[in-house]
Amino acid sequence: MDFADFSKKVDRIRQNAATVMVGREKTMELILTALLAGGHVLLEDVPGVGKTMMAKTIAKCLDLKFGRIQFTPDLMPSDVLGVNVYNQKEAEFEFRPGPIMTNILLADEINRATPKTQSSLLEAMEEKQFTVEGVTRVLEMPFMVIATQNPIEMEGTFPLPEAQMDRFLMRIDMGYPSLEEEREIIHRFGEKNPLHEIESAVGREDILEMQNHINGIYMDRAVEDYLLNIVRETRAHVSMRLGASPRASLYLYRSARALAAVRGRTYVIPDDIKDLTVPVLSHRIVLTSRNLLEDVRPEQVILDILNKVPVPVENLEEWGR
């Protein structure tokens, strides 16, 4: 796939998604970036802002198989992965796959399930495979988990442990729409659901080719140093109890190259990294007890780090060579 073809497909995806989602261009850009980087996304926001609609729109735009799991306290790992059932006619057990056998999996209100059920996703999210009763099955690519959770309502929930949070490439807060965006929402959805009429922009094979295209995006040594210095600063910052790991560096590197391609470039610039530091790093750091008591948000600390780390001198000729 050449660069012009890649850009045309990205534009088509954006245009199709815009027929359903109102004012969510930035969120759409981040989710598409995560998909092309081979990662997963945690949408964290209050109910009713369009988290589920966004996941469904992505799946329909890309013509991918879509599965949804409503996480509840009584949900079992077998409800996610599948189960072996005895077939009396054949006199043998046969595997009945769960909703995980899909391309885009919506894990709705993931923090309402028990840790045992939450952990059933770990192998699939990291290794793109899952194991039931000793048999390992490989998932069809692309595979992406879009999980949602409500950060306000804590009763009856099980907070995601650090190990599972680290499996998500990005954590995204969608936020409320503006006045005019909300006006457009009530007009657009007042009589019908535009999701039913949306057309596919690309297919599964296109997405796989686009993911391979990301490997050709160039990152200059100076921009690499900028990325690494940001991550290393999270380990030295006075507000940190636990900084970002080398896995965070790798994820930031992958997503920066994907974002550069989505934005129509063959090379990464510091602004790509700046725009990704909060969604990629904020859920991978642990603040000190004092900062937690003072209600300091991880996003605030990441922004403070961005202000401290020197930005490379602008040199597009070197960055894009």
Side-chain angles (χ1 to χ4, degrees), residues 81-94:
L81 305 178
V83 64
N84 286 313
V85 177
Y86 186 71
N87 186 327
Q88 291 185 337
K89 184 177 180 180
E90 303 292 337
E92 62 181 15
F93 283 93
E94 63 180 29

Side-chain angles (χ1 to χ4, degrees), residues 108-321:
D108 215 359
E109 296 187 292
I110 190 173
N111 56 333
R112 289 201 174 279
T114 62
K116 181 179 181 180
T117 302
Q118 291 176 9
S119 64
S120 66
L121 286 173
L122 289 177
E123 182 183 7
M125 293 175 70
E126 183 65 21
E127 302 176 39
K128 306 298 190 293
Q129 64 182 33
F130 66 97
T131 304
V132 175
E133 296 185 12
V135 179
T136 299
R137 293 173 172 84
V138 178
L139 293 165
E140 180 184 79
M141 293 295 102
F143 174 71
M144 181 186 199
V145 174
I146 300 179
T148 71
Q149 69 173 359
N150 178 358
I152 305 301
E153 187 178 5
M154 300 305 296
E155 185 175 347
T157 63
F158 302 86
L160 295 176
E162 282 77 9
Q164 180 130 5
M165 289 291 286
D166 197 44
R167 294 300 197 279
F168 289 100
L169 177 63
M170 298 183 194
R171 182 180 67 180
I172 302 172
D173 297 327
M174 294 181 64
Y176 287 111
S178 67
L179 173 64
E180 290 307 316
E181 288 169 349
E182 195 159 3
R183 190 192 312 278
E184 176 63 23
I185 290 172
I186 63 175
H187 288 166
R188 186 176 296 186
F189 288 84
E191 297 180 358
K192 60 180 180 179
N193 187 345
L195 183 64
H196 298 155
E197 301 175 1
I198 192 174
E199 296 181 356
S200 300
V202 295
R204 175 177 170 271
E205 294 301 324
D206 294 314
I207 294 299
L208 295 176
E209 287 184 32
M210 293 171 77
Q211 288 180 331
N212 289 332
H213 177 84
I214 301 304
N215 296 327
I217 301 301
Y218 175 73
M219 186 181 294
D220 187 74
R221 181 67 176 265
V223 182
E224 276 185 10
D225 288 344
Y226 178 60
L227 182 154
L228 292 171
N229 287 335
I230 291 172
V231 176
R232 294 180 70 83
E233 182 63 27
T234 67
R235 303 166 193 165
H237 197 278
V238 67
S239 299
M240 296 291 184
R241 183 162 66 89
L242 183 65
S245 68
R247 178 186 286 171
S249 302
L250 176 60
Y251 281 0
L252 187 55
Y253 175 77
R254 286 180 182 171
S255 54
R257 294 203 297 173
L259 182 59
V262 168
R263 289 177 169 177
R265 274 181 276 101
T266 58
Y267 57 92
V268 180
I269 64 174
D271 282 348
D272 298 325
I273 296 169
K274 285 182 182 179
D275 293 341
L276 288 167
T277 48
V278 169
V280 174
L281 299 182
S282 63
H283 60 293
R284 292 189 164 87
I285 60 175
V286 179
L287 303 184
T288 62
S289 300
R290 178 178 179 180
N291 280 276
L292 291 174
L293 289 173
E294 294 175 354
D295 202 26
V296 176
R297 295 278 298 169
E299 294 84 351
Q300 296 173 257
V301 179
I302 295 296
L303 293 175
D304 182 56
I305 289 173
L306 281 179
N307 290 329
K308 290 181 178 179
V309 177
V311 181
V313 177
E314 185 168 339
N315 189 347
L316 293 178
E317 184 176 343
E318 284 294 317
W319 294 345
R321 66 181 180 181

Side-chain angles (χ1 to χ4, degrees), residues 35-141:
L35 175 65
L36 295 180
H40 311 281
V41 169
L42 177 64
L43 296 178
E44 188 176 80
D45 222 318
V46 296
V49 295
K51 299 187 294 293
T52 301
M53 182 66 70
M54 175 61 77
K56 290 181 176 180
T57 300
I58 288 283
K60 291 202 72 173
C61 279
L62 307 181
D63 196 24
L64 297 175
K65 289 186 287 185
F66 176 78
R68 176 178 178 174
I69 307 172
Q70 187 65 47
F71 278 65
T72 56
D74 60 346
L75 192 75
M76 300 296 292
S78 59
D79 298 324
V80 177
L81 305 178
V83 64
N84 286 313
V85 177
Y86 186 71
N87 186 327
Q88 291 185 337
K89 184 177 180 180
E90 303 292 337
E92 62 181 15
F93 283 93
E94 63 180 29
F95 180 70
R96 293 188 180 176
I100 201 169
M101 297 289 284
T102 189
N103 296 124
I104 304 291
L105 177 65
L106 174 61
D108 215 359
E109 296 187 292
I110 190 173
N111 56 333
R112 289 201 174 279
T114 62
K116 181 179 181 180
T117 302
Q118 291 176 9
S119 64
S120 66
L121 286 173
L122 289 177
E123 182 183 7
M125 293 175 70
E126 183 65 21
E127 302 176 39
K128 306 298 190 293
Q129 64 182 33
F130 66 97
T131 304
V132 175
E133 296 185 12
V135 179
T136 299
R137 293 173 172 84
V138 178
L139 293 165
E140 180 184 79
M141 293 295 102

